[in-house]
Amino acid sequence: MIKVSPSILAANFLNLQQELDKIKTADYLHIDVMDGHFVPNITFGFPLLEALNRVDTLPLDVHLMISDPSRYVDRFMDFGARIIAVHIEAETHLHRLLERIKSRNVEAFVALNPHTPVNALESILPFLDGVLVMTVNPGFTGQKFISLAAEKIRQLDSIRREKGLSYQLAVDGGINLNTAPTVVEYGADILVMGAAIFRSDSPKEVIEKVKELKR
């Protein structure tokens, strides 16, 4: 079954508890952490995760769009992250960091920006729990889907089949009811969706429609 991870970046923060109540049928809650350095925007940090960790919420899917993620990753895990995605473009000692994440029984994902080729991951794929394919340039919600970047999902699905690997494929950026069938057909397992869910008339209905998609 396709999994859905609504991105809290698109939620109404004046009524956050109500927003969370709308997405209880999803699988994860996606947290976009941006530092204003790796990407040109600043979003959330430890206080938000600490607050979410005190309430009954979906498992936290944390996407670190930050420079030098190894400095901060342990604190995000301390605050309840169940998935941590770090960018290959931001981490020099990637294998070491992935092993550190996995040692805490947290799923280790690597994110790829639209311009980064799949072959950059070649030597690290056997160590991953998942790959997060960015289909927009990271930094802002509501951007237009980059179809060429989505082709990497197909490539990564082909590689995992050929090599018998079990990593999951997540996709983030411009995913809505129009683009979701395409990325699912390509092999995506987890769809990160922001505005398409939180700014819809019926978030629950959107989630249900995505979960019903078949390859």
Side-chain angles (χ1 to χ4, degrees), residues 49-97:
L49 267 77
E50 184 178 17
L52 291 171
N53 202 33
R54 291 197 300 264
V55 300
D56 182 21
T57 188
L58 296 165
L60 302 181
D61 163 22
V62 179
H63 179 190
L64 297 181
M65 287 176 267
I66 62 176
S67 299
D68 198 9
S70 61
R71 292 182 59 190
Y72 308 101
V73 68
D74 288 293
R75 289 189 66 191
F76 284 107
M77 292 189 286
D78 289 343
F79 287 130
R82 301 313 309 151
I83 293 175
I84 293 277
V86 298
H87 274 262
I88 189 172
E89 304 90 356
E91 179 57 41
T92 303
H93 303 290
L94 186 58
H95 178 267
R96 179 191 301 166
L97 181 56

Side-chain angles (χ1 to χ4, degrees), residues 18-194:
Q18 294 177 26
E19 296 283 82
L20 296 176
D21 290 342
K22 295 176 183 177
I23 60 166
K24 288 183 176 180
T25 56
D27 301 279
Y28 302 102
L29 179 62
H30 189 82
I31 313 293
D32 287 309
V33 179
M34 307 181 194
D35 63 359
H37 184 260
F38 181 70
V39 293
N41 196 7
I42 298 174
T43 56
F44 320 115
F46 305 122
L48 176 63
L49 267 77
E50 184 178 17
L52 291 171
N53 202 33
R54 291 197 300 264
V55 300
D56 182 21
T57 188
L58 296 165
L60 302 181
D61 163 22
V62 179
H63 179 190
L64 297 181
M65 287 176 267
I66 62 176
S67 299
D68 198 9
S70 61
R71 292 182 59 190
Y72 308 101
V73 68
D74 288 293
R75 289 189 66 191
F76 284 107
M77 292 189 286
D78 289 343
F79 287 130
R82 301 313 309 151
I83 293 175
I84 293 277
V86 298
H87 274 262
I88 189 172
E89 304 90 356
E91 179 57 41
T92 303
H93 303 290
L94 186 58
H95 178 267
R96 179 191 301 166
L97 181 56
L98 295 173
E99 290 299 294
R100 201 161 111 209
I101 294 169
K102 291 162 73 76
S103 74
R104 297 278 302 270
N105 293 317
V106 174
E107 293 188 73
F109 280 50
V110 168
L112 288 179
N113 279 340
H115 71 277
T116 304
V118 166
N119 62 18
L121 286 176
E122 183 176 358
S123 62
I124 208 74
L125 285 174
F127 304 99
L128 295 180
D129 294 307
V131 179
L132 175 60
V133 176
M134 296 301 299
T135 45
V136 299
N137 289 295
F140 300 93
T141 190
Q143 295 186 70
K144 185 178 179 181
F145 177 77
I146 301 174
S147 57
L148 188 60
E151 291 286 342
K152 286 184 278 191
I153 301 167
R154 198 200 305 266
Q155 296 176 47
L156 286 159
D157 182 50
S158 177
I159 292 169
R160 71 177 168 181
R161 292 173 187 272
E162 290 172 4
K163 297 190 175 183
L165 299 174
S166 58
Y167 55 79
Q168 300 175 81
L169 290 173
V171 58
D172 181 3
I175 306 300
N176 53 43
L177 291 179
N178 293 322
T179 56
T182 297
V183 297
V184 168
E185 180 186 349
Y186 287 176
D189 306 296
I190 303 172
L191 275 57
V192 178
M193 303 175 70

